Amino acid sequence: RDYEKEIETIQDAVESNRCDGILFGRTRPQDERIEFLEDRKFPFVTVGRTLKDEHSWVDVDHVDIGYRATERLIQLGHRRIAHLVTPLRYTYSHHAQQGYRQALADHGIPHDPALEVECYLSRKTGGDGARELLSLGQMPTALYCSNDMIALSAIEALRRFNIQVGKDIAVIGSDDMPLAAYVDPGLTTFRQDLDGMGMRMGQMMLSMLSGIAEPQQQKVKAELIVRGTDMPYSRKNGDEA
């Protein structure tokens, strides 16, 4: 419903001439908002991309985050690594999934679909995902979560089962939300330069309004922030060969 409301809001803004350009985010692989604006030749810049990838955008490199998070866990000795992925209606979720799967493949670890759980963006869904993983015959020894809210929710649920994060299981998040530094142990995650991305979007929009029609696109690398929730694999925490 929120997505439908956004489409209506954008259509109304364009048709009533209430603005000269539009900035928005949470893009989808096939996005009606973008299709509408392209059809009207109306200036816009997004946080994120679509499968067409032909308009102006700024985006965090979520493929890189997914790859580096998974590879870090592999380098710490983990092989049974689960992925709590954000809703697959968003393009960035597919990119995170791509990075996770590519890291597994590059290190010779078979992909297990049971270890990928889609979680909606709410305070409880990471916990639901963690409980789903706990129901498997063999618990993963590490979690990569493509959103910090999901990671913190999963950590809370694991504690209720007396599973200590940073000792019994490793967890890595993705977007360094403010609370990530203050939980105990602090969440290992990735810091995204949101201020810089916002400034770049504004610059792109000003260029478009000044007559530059060529699409501008920028992919931004995130910074790994190591805290206390990831740790080396220990055989007492899993039965992997």
Side-chain angles (χ1 to χ4, degrees), residues 100-111:
Y100 163 77
R101 292 180 178 181
Q102 189 62 54
L104 293 178
D106 287 353
H107 289 272
I109 300 174
H111 172 245

Side-chain angles (χ1 to χ4, degrees), residues 83-87 92-93 117-130 143-158 171-175 177 187:
H83 181 199
L84 297 184
V85 61
T86 44
Y92 76 88
S93 302
V117 180
E118 184 177 2
C119 300
Y120 292 98
L121 295 174
S122 78
R123 186 67 183 85
K124 65 182 286 292
T125 56
D128 293 340
L143 298 181
Y144 157 51
C145 304
S146 46
N147 174 276
D148 280 6
M149 181 168 58
I150 289 172
L152 296 176
S153 174
I155 289 170
E156 184 179 338
L158 290 168
V171 177
I172 295 182
S174 288
D175 51 4
M177 62 184 295
L187 178 65

Side-chain angles (χ1 to χ4, degrees), residues 197-216:
M197 290 171 64
M199 291 180 62
R200 185 67 185 117
M201 289 178 72
Q203 291 167 351
M204 288 181 179
M205 177 56 68
L206 290 174
S207 295
M208 295 174 73
L209 295 176
S210 69
I212 298 176
E214 189 71 22
Q216 302 173 70

Side-chain angles (χ1 to χ4, degrees), residues 64-204:
D64 181 68
I65 290 177
Y67 191 98
R68 288 165 61 199
T70 307
E71 185 172 63
R72 175 173 174 80
L73 293 167
I74 293 169
Q75 290 171 343
L76 288 169
H78 299 277
R79 291 183 61 82
R80 191 164 174 79
I81 302 167
H83 181 199
L84 297 184
V85 61
T86 44
L88 291 168
R89 62 175 175 263
Y90 299 124
T91 312
Y92 76 88
S93 302
H94 290 272
H95 290 159
Q97 187 179 65
Q98 178 185 340
Y100 163 77
R101 292 180 178 181
Q102 189 62 54
L104 293 178
D106 287 353
H107 289 272
I109 300 174
H111 172 245
D112 182 350
L115 294 180
E116 280 194 288
V117 180
E118 184 177 2
C119 300
Y120 292 98
L121 295 174
S122 78
R123 186 67 183 85
K124 65 182 286 292
T125 56
D128 293 340
R131 283 185 285 273
E132 182 173 335
L133 292 170
L134 284 169
S135 71
L136 300 175
Q138 186 181 8
M139 178 68 184
T141 65
L143 298 181
Y144 157 51
C145 304
S146 46
N147 174 276
D148 280 6
M149 181 168 58
I150 289 172
L152 296 176
S153 174
I155 289 170
E156 184 179 338
L158 290 168
R159 282 178 176 157
R160 291 176 181 168
F161 287 90
N162 295 316
I163 297 172
Q164 293 183 283
V165 174
K167 292 184 179 180
D168 300 323
I169 190 169
V171 177
I172 295 182
S174 288
D175 51 4
D176 198 30
M177 62 184 295
L179 188 59
Y182 298 102
V183 294
D184 184 22
L187 178 65
T188 294
T189 185
F190 287 82
R191 181 170 296 155
Q192 304 176 12
D193 183 13
L194 301 182
D195 289 342
M197 290 171 64
M199 291 180 62
R200 185 67 185 117
M201 289 178 72
Q203 291 167 351
M204 288 181 179

